[in-house]
Amino acid sequence: MNETIDVIRVLYFSTARPDVSNEDVDEIAAHAQEKNAAAGITGALAFNGRNFCQLLEGDENNVMALIKQIEGDPRHAGFKVLDQKEI
């Protein structure tokens, strides 16, 4: 019997703390790219100097574990999932 993997897409929005610099964001993106690739998660991160918006796709367990980590990151506030669906 073939076991299926639930693949999901999550889109979230948050506001960076005032002391988060563009260099911090570059570091976040570089670290995330490496870690997410190892977990089979793909996506895109946008930062407009104040707000983050990120789309993540991958295995549901991996993506939801990452969302919990991101939500607890003190470098931003107002974390809100805008959309979540199975793909």
Side-chain angles (χ1 to χ4, degrees):
M1 178 182 240
N2 289 340
E3 190 174 318
T4 62
I5 296 174
D6 291 330
V7 178
I8 64 168
R9 175 183 297 144
V10 177
L11 176 68
Y12 78 84
F13 177 87
S14 67
T15 302
R17 298 282 184 195
D19 62 342
V20 172
S21 67
N22 286 335
E23 291 79 20
D24 292 330
V25 175
D26 290 343
E27 185 179 308
I28 290 167
H31 177 74
Q33 186 175 19
E34 183 178 315
K35 187 176 177 183
N36 293 352
I41 297 172
T42 59
L45 173 67
F47 179 67
N48 66 6
R50 177 176 162 89
N51 302 109
F52 293 101
C53 187
Q54 186 168 26
L55 178 77
L56 298 167
E57 295 181 342
D59 172 77
E60 181 177 15
N61 293 329
N62 293 348
V63 171
M64 294 313 295
L66 179 57
I67 287 293
K68 286 183 183 182
Q69 287 180 335
I70 292 170
E71 186 174 13
D73 190 321
R75 295 173 288 194
H76 65 153
F79 181 92
K80 180 172 173 113
V81 171
L82 302 174
D83 189 45
Q84 178 179 329
K85 65 176 106 182
E86 191 171 316
I87 57 171

